[in-house]
Amino acid sequence: MQTAPDANPHPTDVYYSYGAHNLSNQVGDHWILNNQTGGASVTVCNGYNGTNCTQTIAQDWAYRLNFTPINSIVLNRP
């Protein structure tokens, strides 16, 4: 069982720019935490380059998701 992000604050990936970010070698369940500021959101997508998106995560929210079908995330400007 994976530890919640607040109990293990050592992320495997950190992104610093808005837009699409392709993922690689991310399978199984992972926590995704949107700790952006100013109301920015994160969208998870099954396709590369931010296509076939399925869910948007608001600022300060975290979810445990199966990353096997997820191939990219998009950091959205507020």
Side-chain angles (χ1 to χ4, degrees):
M1 176 127 176
Q2 290 187 346
T3 306
D6 58 346
N8 181 12
H10 304 289
T12 54
D13 293 307
V14 178
Y15 301 94
Y16 294 98
S17 61
Y18 293 115
H21 299 274
N22 291 328
L23 305 176
S24 60
N25 301 318
Q26 299 294 323
V27 295
D29 288 346
H30 293 270
W31 282 95
I32 182 166
L33 168 65
N34 179 10
N35 64 352
Q36 298 181 92
T37 60
S41 63
V42 174
T43 303
V44 295
C45 306
N46 291 341
Y48 288 103
N49 301 314
T51 61
N52 193 19
C53 300
T54 60
Q55 180 177 1
T56 298
I57 300 169
Q59 177 185 323
D60 297 325
W61 281 84
Y63 291 94
R64 185 174 168 184
L65 301 174
N66 177 359
F67 266 61
T68 302
I70 298 171
N71 287 301
S72 64
I73 62 168
V74 180
L75 275 59
N76 306 302
R77 293 183 187 274

